[in-house]
Amino acid sequence: MHITLNGEPYELDQPVSITDLLTKLDIDPRRVAIEHNLAILKRQRFPDVVVGDGDTIEIVNFVGGG
Amino acid sequence: MHITLNGEPYELDQPVSITDLLTKLDIDPRRVAIEHNLAILKRQRFPDVVVGDGDTIEIVNFVGGG
Amino acid sequence: MHITLNGEPYELDQPVSITDLLTKLDIDPRRVAIEHNLAILKRQRFPDVVVGDGDTIEIVNFVGGG
Amino acid sequence: MHITLNGEPYELDQPVSITDLLTKLDIDPRRVAIEHNLAILKRQRFPDVVVGDGDTIEIVNFVGGG
Amino acid sequence: MNDTPFVIAGRTFRSRLIVGTGKYSSNAVMAQAHEASGADMVTVAVRRVNISDRSRESLLDYIDTSRIFILPNTAGCYSADEAIRTAHLGREAGLSNWVKLEVIGDERTLFPDNEALIAATRTLVKDGFVVLPYTNDDPIACRKLEDAGAAAVMPLGAPIGSGLGIQNVNNIRIIRELSHVPVIVDAGVGTASDAALAMELGADGVLMNTAIAGADHPVAMASAMKHAIIAGRLAFIAGRIPKKMYATASSPLEGVVGR
Amino acid sequence: MNDTPFVIAGRTFRSRLIVGTGKYSSNAVMAQAHEASGADMVTVAVRRVNISDRSRESLLDYIDTSRIFILPNTAGCYSADEAIRTAHLGREAGLSNWVKLEVIGDERTLFPDNEALIAATRTLVKDGFVVLPYTNDDPIACRKLEDAGAAAVMPLGAPIGSGLGIQNVNNIRIIRELSHVPVIVDAGVGTASDAALAMELGADGVLMNTAIAGADHPVAMASAMKHAIIAGRLAFIAGRIPKKMYATASSPLEGVVGR
Amino acid sequence: MNDTPFVIAGRTFRSRLIVGTGKYSSNAVMAQAHEASGADMVTVAVRRVNISDRSRESLLDYIDTSRIFILPNTAGCYSADEAIRTAHLGREAGLSNWVKLEVIGDERTLFPDNEALIAATRTLVKDGFVVLPYTNDDPIACRKLEDAGAAAVMPLGAPIGSGLGIQNVNNIRIIRELSHVPVIVDAGVGTASDAALAMELGADGVLMNTAIAGADHPVAMASAMKHAIIAGRLAFIAGRIPKKMYATASSPLEGVVGR
Amino acid sequence: MNDTPFVIAGRTFRSRLIVGTGKYSSNAVMAQAHEASGADMVTVAVRRVNISDRSRESLLDYIDTSRIFILPNTAGCYSADEAIRTAHLGREAGLSNWVKLEVIGDERTLFPDNEALIAATRTLVKDGFVVLPYTNDDPIACRKLEDAGAAAVMPLGAPIGSGLGIQNVNNIRIIRELSHVPVIVDAGVGTASDAALAMELGADGVLMNTAIAGADHPVAMASAMKHAIIAGRLAFIAGRIPKKMYATASSPLEGVVGR
């Protein structure tokens, strides 16, 4: 299945939870914010929300800026 | 009859045309612009337009400014 | 006898040493510098140097300045 | 014979007047000022003053400046 | 060398100096100052005729409209609606569809309310006006005014009547670089060197009132400003020398006597 | 209104702008720039004639001495003796007893050596010269030069050829207030607004070379400077408006439609 | 004498200096600079995690969040929607509902789009954010931001990263006088005296990044800025002497020897 | 990073701020201001003791001479002779052979008479003094003072007590570059940013009196100046960012959400 991850096409074998996706990507859930199909997800919902085919995911964190 | 002329109450004995009003006020029609009940009047209509009871008239001209 | 003290005329009954003059004027010798007839006096000479008639004495100290 | 002309050594076969020197150098006398052995020469003296061996001559004119 | 003509909305002006008509001790002095300034565009305010007590003499009796173009303004308007209404009255009273658009945001600074100004510009352009908006030295606001159809942008140099001169030369320079319409510095000029500086920054023109009308000798100052605008413009196109921290001799280094 | 004439040592000049003759791409361009500047006094350097290889054309062929007064200078001199010697040669080569006196103290800044300058002024005044000394913006040095008999004082605005403009407006204003001879700002002007500012500070005149000769278009810049000097002078005598932190309306506050 | 505390939206900060986290040669240097600056609020950008190639180390590993408050910003956003969306993500990623709101209007100047900024401020305030908008030195825009519920206004001193210093001191002073919320000068500071000047004008704080991160020695500059902010604030509350054109002796005039 | 120590004539000072002792409302306030300033050198005037009516308390009772070095000055002297005579008296009254040498040339400006100053410096150096001359911002005068044996040069930033700040930054920078002794900006500072700027120009120290003593709250201003001097010095050695006309983003350009 295809999703759009941070603006790029991304392949997944099957629907996964946000938590699993982060694990797969080796991203610490406590350091990021996630937008699922333009809706922002509270951190506690990461385990329940499932990423399906065609979904759009934004994963952001803090970087240096002024 | 009562009208509002440049924001002040003003008395008229009877309905008059804009042209007559200007004559009465000793104002040169070629130097002013007139708003009748919020509608701007073309100069050529001054003779036809009649000022009635309760009307609001604005008569403006150019003054020094920057 | 007359001397000039800090630009003003000043009376003395008799010749006195600088030390005595300072005592008379109630001035602490350690805080001032003295010019005797345009010559600057070292502090240790205050007891020996005698002020005579017509002499010119300048007594200065430090004051606030920038 | 040797002279110093504008700071440089210069050869002359024989003593010449300032006027002749200027002619030889193709310099218009009306446009220059001349110093002969540190003494400034009035223009009318150019024909009479003779440049001798070892003399120092400065010939100056106006150039662009600010 | 030849300069490009000063053109706004297809109309060419001889002078890059635009002056006001306010605060003069008399209309006669104003007329002399206008003459001395060489300006061929002057701005006027639109106000209610005083019914109760009216002086016979009209401002326009002192302006040779055959030579001088009248630019009505919306000074004193604090909302887009007021400004639009005043602009329409000015057009009706006047001889043209031009307006110096002012929408003031604050009484103490007389700075523009750019949001309302941009909105009013959009409306008036649709209504067929040639709009010259008075704004502040904000390059983004100037770009939006241009996008809204403004025929020129008129950033302030300093608060109206303050005489402080160009407070932010960098912004005026940037506005000139980013704009595709004439840039006219409007307000803040105090003396001749301020006007010259505005032109050296690349401004296409300068509009002023108080600096002339409020001077001890308005006619002399008007003449000063005429020359200052010409001077600044010429300097801009002549291409100034670069600034250096140290000196460079103007005279030859060699040939000094006795060296 | 009428201005007082610009008089130095009893001689009246039409223009308050004095220009140089150095660094032009050609004498022809210089002549056009002089014409455009309106100056009736120009300064020239005194140098050794190049014996070995001399161009036929003389600088003076390009200056109409019937209209333009020649002011020889002592540029490049680093001691009172050199300057005095050069001044005497200049008098002999020229048509007058005037000299723009320079005694340079340092090669990088070309700032004056005021001690030597004051001494040289004293000597040259005794020798019958009309001395116009180039100095820095030091009111005390200017007073001493005046006491030494200088016909004018010429404080710098910034280093020669730097184009930095007037670095210390306060000093120039003070020098004008304390002096009893003409004050001519000499050196440092970069563009028209600098020249106008100098005049607004009360300077009686401005002398410049590089700002014109070094511009991309010297003739246009010369014209710019002509107008800038007139503008600054007129503004000075016209009496500028005071500076205010806040705005003051140019148009009437009352009579706005709909209020 | 005691100063009032620096409070924004009910939260008190020890330091009036707010610093950025961008453009440092390394996170280690950044951490040292933060320490030297004494700042207890730093701003960070919100960006997509780099999926393909991610460095292990996170910015937050180098910020002691027990002492330093994190202020997410919306740098790089060119519309209200982008900025609002980014603000929400920042709140989710972070520990607070504060946001340094930026809506950029132009890539070359990075000046704010005030119309969009005001709209975004209104929305985010409704959404429960504490909004600190980056704006320009426009008193009217600042008033509208305050009316929209901004917890502070952050006018720029000069373009971001330009190091030009406060270009318009008059506007900053006016904004301070007309505002009822803290005024923080954001962007444009180049060196210590710029920061001190901002505080002397009455600013409640200063936010900077490039001036420190881009200096040859960022840690030393951070320390310089710490002292500059303290100096400027103290000078503001100490009440400076008035400016005079002439001198006033510091030492007694009488009692000079030999007079 | 480490700074070089501040050394004059072989003596090292902890603080680069030198303060005066004049014009304080009371000696107690002065002592607190000195403490707050962190200065370890203060300057004092030499004056005749008032015979007729003498206050018991001596200035020195309020200066901890174990920590603070006393620098007698020759303020109020208008000739080399007066200054030399006063310097000798100051040495006799004091504890050292140091003198802040002033030879004033004019009562309104209190500007130095450089000719007399250089002569007096030569004499006093021969007499074994460590001479710190107060001069103006003339690089040539500063070089001559250095050649005459001055232990430091102290150019003014603006007239004494004027509070105008550094009027000619270019000259101070040039003096620093051309000098081989410490450069101390003496006089003209009005507020903290002026002091920071002086240090950023490369000055080794700043001497001030009125800016502190004349402030509404002298002790707070003394503290402000302490921080300003540290800030300016650190900024100077830290190496400031270059100035740019346009912006440079502080945050990454890529990775913005939704792009």
Side-chain angles (χ1 to χ4, degrees):
Chain A
M1 52 177 274
H2 313 283
I3 66 169
T4 302
L5 180 56
N6 284 359
E8 305 293 332
Y10 191 81
E11 294 300 314
L12 283 174
D13 312 339
Q14 63 195 68
V16 294
S17 71
I18 294 292
T19 302
D20 296 347
L21 176 63
L22 292 178
T23 309
K24 178 178 164 56
L25 294 168
D26 182 21
I27 294 173
D28 178 344
R30 294 162 308 168
R31 287 292 174 82
V32 299
I34 293 185
E35 204 184 58
H36 177 221
N37 299 336
L38 296 185
I40 287 176
L41 298 180
K42 294 271 164 219
R43 194 167 277 108
Q44 56 271 35
R45 299 195 47 229
F46 289 1
D48 322 331
V49 174
V50 174
V51 182
D53 190 26
D55 283 2
T56 298
I57 304 289
E58 292 279 354
I59 308 175
V60 306
N61 65 355
F62 291 146
V63 302
Chain B
M1 52 178 274
H2 313 284
I3 66 169
T4 302
L5 180 56
N6 284 358
E8 304 294 332
Y10 191 81
E11 294 299 315
L12 284 174
D13 312 340
Q14 63 197 69
V16 296
S17 71
I18 293 292
T19 301
D20 296 346
L21 178 62
L22 292 178
T23 308
K24 178 176 166 53
L25 294 169
D26 183 21
I27 294 173
D28 179 344
R30 293 161 307 169
R31 288 291 175 83
V32 298
I34 293 184
E35 205 185 56
H36 178 221
N37 299 336
L38 297 184
I40 287 176
L41 297 180
K42 294 271 166 221
R43 193 165 280 108
Q44 56 271 34
R45 297 196 48 227
F46 289 0
D48 321 331
V49 174
V50 174
V51 182
D53 191 25
D55 283 2
T56 298
I57 303 288
E58 293 278 355
I59 308 176
V60 305
N61 65 355
F62 291 145
V63 302
Chain C
M1 53 176 275
H2 313 285
I3 66 169
T4 302
L5 179 57
N6 284 359
E8 305 293 333
Y10 190 81
E11 294 300 313
L12 283 174
D13 313 339
Q14 65 197 64
V16 294
S17 72
I18 294 293
T19 301
D20 296 345
L21 177 62
L22 292 177
T23 308
K24 180 177 163 54
L25 294 169
D26 183 20
I27 295 173
D28 178 344
R30 295 161 307 170
R31 288 291 174 81
V32 299
I34 293 185
E35 205 185 56
H36 178 221
N37 298 335
L38 295 186
I40 287 175
L41 297 180
K42 294 267 165 223
R43 195 167 275 109
Q44 56 271 34
R45 297 197 47 229
F46 290 1
D48 321 332
V49 175
V50 174
V51 182
D53 191 27
D55 283 2
T56 298
I57 303 289
E58 293 278 355
I59 309 176
V60 305
N61 63 355
F62 291 146
V63 302
Chain D
M1 52 176 274
H2 313 285
I3 66 169
T4 302
L5 180 56
N6 283 359
E8 305 293 333
Y10 191 82
E11 294 298 312
L12 283 175
D13 312 339
Q14 65 196 63
V16 294
S17 71
I18 294 294
T19 302
D20 297 345
L21 178 62
L22 292 177
T23 308
K24 179 177 164 54
L25 295 169
D26 184 19
I27 295 174
D28 178 345
R30 294 162 307 169
R31 289 290 173 83
V32 299
I34 293 184
E35 204 184 58
H36 178 221
N37 299 335
L38 296 184
I40 287 176
L41 297 180
K42 294 268 164 221
R43 194 166 276 110
Q44 56 271 34
R45 297 196 49 228
F46 289 1
D48 321 332
V49 174
V50 174
V51 183
D53 191 27
D55 283 1
T56 298
I57 303 289
E58 293 278 356
I59 308 175
V60 306
N61 64 355
F62 291 146
V63 301
Chain E
M1 58 189 298
N2 296 325
D3 190 4
T4 52
F6 179 39
V7 180
I8 304 172
R11 184 183 186 99
T12 302
F13 294 91
R14 290 186 307 281
S15 172
R16 291 175 178 275
L17 173 60
I18 305 168
V19 299
T21 55
K23 300 165 108 182
Y24 282 95
S25 53
S26 75
N27 283 335
V29 170
M30 177 191 76
Q32 293 173 55
H34 285 177
E35 179 66 27
S37 73
D40 49 356
M41 172 156 45
V42 305
T43 184
V44 299
V46 176
R47 290 289 184 272
R48 283 167 166 166
V49 172
N50 183 335
I51 304 299
S52 47
D53 151 36
R54 293 175 33 235
S55 98
R56 283 279 155 286
E57 74 177 18
S58 155
L59 178 71
L60 293 185
D61 296 335
Y62 290 83
I63 301 173
D64 175 357
T65 51
S66 68
R67 287 181 37 265
I68 297 180
F69 184 75
I70 302 287
L71 178 66
N73 65 50
T74 63
C77 295
Y78 280 77
S79 70
D81 287 350
E82 273 183 16
I84 290 165
R85 186 177 172 190
T86 302
H88 277 276
L89 282 164
R91 176 165 65 177
E92 211 49 41
L95 318 147
S96 80
N97 58 340
W98 289 44
V99 62
K100 177 193 171 191
L101 185 63
E102 294 189 30
V103 183
I104 303 303
D106 169 82
E107 287 193 346
R108 289 178 67 191
T109 61
L110 296 180
F111 278 156
D113 177 336
N114 283 324
E115 280 185 300
L117 182 68
I118 292 162
T121 297
R122 234 176 250 118
T123 301
L124 287 169
V125 168
K126 285 201 190 65
D127 295 347
F129 281 83
V130 170
V131 181
L132 285 64
Y134 152 79
T135 182
N136 61 349
D137 58 5
D138 175 353
I140 308 303
C142 287
R143 191 197 64 219
K144 291 185 172 195
L145 288 165
E146 184 178 330
D147 295 344
V153 290
M154 307 209 294
L156 55 82
I160 292 171
S162 68
L164 290 172
I166 314 300
Q167 293 295 285
N168 191 332
V169 296
N170 197 37
N171 277 4
I172 298 297
R173 198 188 280 110
I174 288 173
I175 289 168
R176 174 58 285 171
E177 291 192 9
L178 302 184
S179 300
H180 309 87
V181 292
V183 173
I184 298 165
V185 171
D186 178 2
V189 164
T191 184
S193 54
D194 298 336
L197 174 59
M199 298 306 291
E200 288 164 355
L201 294 172
D204 299 278
V206 176
L207 190 157
M208 65 180 74
N209 183 75
T210 305
I212 293 173
D216 296 341
H217 303 282
V219 181
M221 188 57 87
S223 180
M225 292 300 182
K226 171 187 179 177
H227 287 287
I229 295 293
I230 294 169
R233 180 64 179 182
L234 279 167
F236 175 68
I237 61 183
R240 63 157 293 156
I241 56 173
K243 294 184 179 186
K244 298 180 194 157
M245 183 176 158
Y246 283 98
T248 315
S250 304
S251 304
L253 299 178
E254 62 291 337
V256 178
V257 173
R259 286 284 173 80
Chain F
M1 56 188 299
N2 296 325
D3 191 4
T4 52
F6 180 38
V7 180
I8 305 172
R11 186 184 185 98
T12 302
F13 295 91
R14 290 186 307 280
S15 172
R16 291 172 179 277
L17 174 60
I18 306 168
V19 298
T21 55
K23 299 165 108 183
Y24 282 94
S25 53
S26 75
N27 284 335
V29 171
M30 176 191 76
Q32 295 173 53
H34 285 177
E35 179 66 27
S37 74
D40 50 355
M41 173 156 45
V42 305
T43 184
V44 299
V46 176
R47 290 289 184 274
R48 284 167 165 166
V49 172
N50 183 336
I51 304 299
S52 46
D53 152 37
R54 292 177 31 239
S55 97
R56 282 282 156 285
E57 72 176 20
S58 155
L59 177 71
L60 293 186
D61 296 334
Y62 290 83
I63 302 173
D64 175 358
T65 52
S66 69
R67 289 181 34 264
I68 298 180
F69 184 75
I70 302 287
L71 178 67
N73 66 50
T74 64
C77 295
Y78 281 77
S79 71
D81 287 350
E82 273 182 16
I84 291 165
R85 186 178 173 191
T86 302
H88 278 275
L89 282 165
R91 177 165 64 175
E92 211 50 40
L95 318 148
S96 81
N97 59 340
W98 289 44
V99 62
K100 178 194 171 190
L101 185 63
E102 294 189 29
V103 184
I104 303 303
D106 169 82
E107 287 192 346
R108 288 177 67 192
T109 61
L110 296 179
F111 278 157
D113 177 336
N114 283 324
E115 281 185 301
L117 182 69
I118 293 163
T121 298
R122 234 177 250 116
T123 301
L124 288 169
V125 168
K126 285 202 190 63
D127 295 347
F129 281 83
V130 171
V131 181
L132 285 65
Y134 153 78
T135 182
N136 60 350
D137 59 6
D138 175 353
I140 308 302
C142 287
R143 192 197 64 218
K144 292 185 170 194
L145 289 165
E146 184 179 330
D147 295 345
V153 290
M154 307 208 296
L156 55 82
I160 293 171
S162 69
L164 290 173
I166 314 300
Q167 293 295 286
N168 190 332
V169 295
N170 197 37
N171 277 3
I172 297 297
R173 198 187 280 112
I174 287 173
I175 288 168
R176 174 59 284 173
E177 290 191 10
L178 302 184
S179 299
H180 308 89
V181 292
V183 174
I184 297 164
V185 170
D186 178 3
V189 165
T191 185
S193 54
D194 298 336
L197 174 58
M199 298 304 292
E200 288 165 354
L201 294 172
D204 299 278
V206 175
L207 190 157
M208 66 182 71
N209 184 77
T210 306
I212 294 173
D216 296 342
H217 304 282
V219 180
M221 188 57 88
S223 179
M225 291 301 183
K226 172 187 179 176
H227 287 286
I229 294 293
I230 294 170
R233 180 64 180 181
L234 280 168
F236 175 67
I237 61 183
R240 62 157 292 157
I241 55 172
K243 294 184 180 186
K244 297 179 194 159
M245 183 175 157
Y246 282 99
T248 315
S250 304
S251 305
L253 299 178
E254 62 291 336
V256 178
V257 172
R259 285 285 173 79
Chain G
M1 56 186 299
N2 296 326
D3 191 4
T4 53
F6 180 38
V7 180
I8 305 173
R11 185 185 185 100
T12 302
F13 295 91
R14 290 185 308 280
S15 172
R16 291 173 179 276
L17 174 60
I18 306 168
V19 299
T21 54
K23 298 165 110 181
Y24 282 95
S25 54
S26 75
N27 284 334
V29 170
M30 177 191 76
Q32 293 173 56
H34 285 177
E35 179 65 27
S37 74
D40 49 356
M41 173 157 45
V42 305
T43 184
V44 299
V46 176
R47 290 289 183 273
R48 284 167 166 166
V49 173
N50 183 336
I51 304 298
S52 47
D53 151 38
R54 297 185 22 245
S55 97
R56 282 280 154 287
E57 72 176 20
S58 155
L59 178 70
L60 293 186
D61 296 335
Y62 291 84
I63 302 173
D64 175 358
T65 52
S66 69
R67 286 181 36 264
I68 297 180
F69 183 76
I70 302 287
L71 179 66
N73 65 50
T74 64
C77 296
Y78 280 78
S79 71
D81 287 349
E82 273 182 16
I84 291 165
R85 187 176 171 190
T86 302
H88 278 276
L89 282 164
R91 176 165 64 177
E92 212 49 41
L95 320 145
S96 80
N97 59 340
W98 289 43
V99 62
K100 178 194 171 190
L101 184 63
E102 294 188 29
V103 184
I104 302 303
D106 169 82
E107 287 193 346
R108 289 178 66 191
T109 61
L110 295 180
F111 278 158
D113 177 336
N114 283 323
E115 280 185 300
L117 182 68
I118 293 162
T121 298
R122 231 175 253 120
T123 301
L124 288 169
V125 167
K126 285 202 190 63
D127 295 346
F129 281 83
V130 171
V131 181
L132 285 65
Y134 152 78
T135 181
N136 60 350
D137 59 5
D138 176 352
I140 308 304
C142 287
R143 191 197 65 219
K144 291 185 172 197
L145 288 165
E146 185 180 328
D147 294 344
V153 290
M154 307 208 295
L156 55 82
I160 292 171
S162 69
L164 291 173
I166 313 300
Q167 293 295 285
N168 191 333
V169 296
N170 197 38
N171 277 4
I172 298 296
R173 197 187 281 111
I174 287 173
I175 288 167
R176 175 58 285 172
E177 290 192 10
L178 302 184
S179 300
H180 309 88
V181 292
V183 174
I184 298 165
V185 171
D186 178 3
V189 164
T191 184
S193 55
D194 298 335
L197 174 59
M199 297 305 292
E200 288 165 355
L201 294 172
D204 299 278
V206 175
L207 190 158
M208 66 182 73
N209 183 75
T210 306
I212 293 173
D216 297 342
H217 304 283
V219 181
M221 188 58 87
S223 180
M225 292 302 183
K226 171 187 179 177
H227 287 286
I229 295 292
I230 294 169
R233 181 62 181 183
L234 279 168
F236 175 67
I237 61 182
R240 63 156 293 156
I241 56 173
K243 294 184 180 186
K244 297 179 193 160
M245 181 176 158
Y246 282 98
T248 315
S250 305
S251 305
L253 299 177
E254 62 290 340
V256 177
V257 172
R259 286 286 174 77
Chain H
M1 56 188 299
N2 295 325
D3 191 4
T4 52
F6 180 38
V7 180
I8 305 172
R11 185 184 185 97
T12 302
F13 296 91
R14 290 185 308 280
S15 172
R16 292 173 178 277
L17 173 60
I18 306 168
V19 298
T21 55
K23 300 165 108 181
Y24 282 95
S25 53
S26 76
N27 284 334
V29 170
M30 177 191 76
Q32 294 173 53
H34 285 176
E35 179 65 28
S37 74
D40 51 354
M41 173 157 44
V42 305
T43 183
V44 300
V46 177
R47 289 289 184 274
R48 285 166 165 166
V49 172
N50 184 336
I51 305 299
S52 46
D53 151 37
R54 292 176 33 238
S55 99
R56 282 280 156 287
E57 72 177 21
S58 156
L59 178 70
L60 294 185
D61 296 335
Y62 291 84
I63 302 173
D64 175 358
T65 52
S66 69
R67 287 180 37 263
I68 297 180
F69 184 74
I70 302 287
L71 178 66
N73 65 51
T74 64
C77 294
Y78 280 77
S79 71
D81 288 349
E82 273 183 15
I84 291 165
R85 186 177 173 191
T86 301
H88 278 275
L89 282 164
R91 177 165 64 176
E92 211 50 41
L95 319 146
S96 82
N97 59 340
W98 290 43
V99 62
K100 178 195 171 189
L101 185 63
E102 295 188 28
V103 184
I104 303 303
D106 169 83
E107 287 193 346
R108 288 177 67 192
T109 61
L110 296 180
F111 278 157
D113 178 337
N114 283 325
E115 280 186 301
L117 182 69
I118 294 162
T121 299
R122 234 176 249 119
T123 301
L124 287 168
V125 168
K126 285 202 191 64
D127 295 346
F129 280 83
V130 171
V131 181
L132 285 63
Y134 153 78
T135 183
N136 60 350
D137 59 4
D138 175 353
I140 308 303
C142 288
R143 191 197 65 219
K144 291 185 171 196
L145 289 165
E146 185 179 329
D147 295 345
V153 290
M154 307 209 295
L156 56 82
I160 292 171
S162 69
L164 290 173
I166 314 301
Q167 294 294 286
N168 190 332
V169 295
N170 197 36
N171 277 2
I172 298 297
R173 198 188 280 113
I174 287 172
I175 288 168
R176 175 58 285 172
E177 290 192 10
L178 302 183
S179 300
H180 309 87
V181 292
V183 174
I184 297 164
V185 171
D186 178 2
V189 165
T191 184
S193 55
D194 298 336
L197 174 58
M199 298 306 291
E200 287 165 354
L201 294 172
D204 300 278
V206 175
L207 190 158
M208 66 181 71
N209 183 77
T210 306
I212 293 173
D216 297 341
H217 304 283
V219 181
M221 188 57 88
S223 179
M225 292 300 183
K226 172 187 179 175
H227 287 286
I229 294 292
I230 295 170
R233 180 63 179 182
L234 279 168
F236 175 68
I237 61 183
R240 63 157 291 156
I241 56 172
K243 294 183 180 185
K244 297 179 193 158
M245 183 176 157
Y246 283 97
T248 315
S250 305
S251 305
L253 299 179
E254 62 290 338
V256 177
V257 173
R259 285 287 172 77

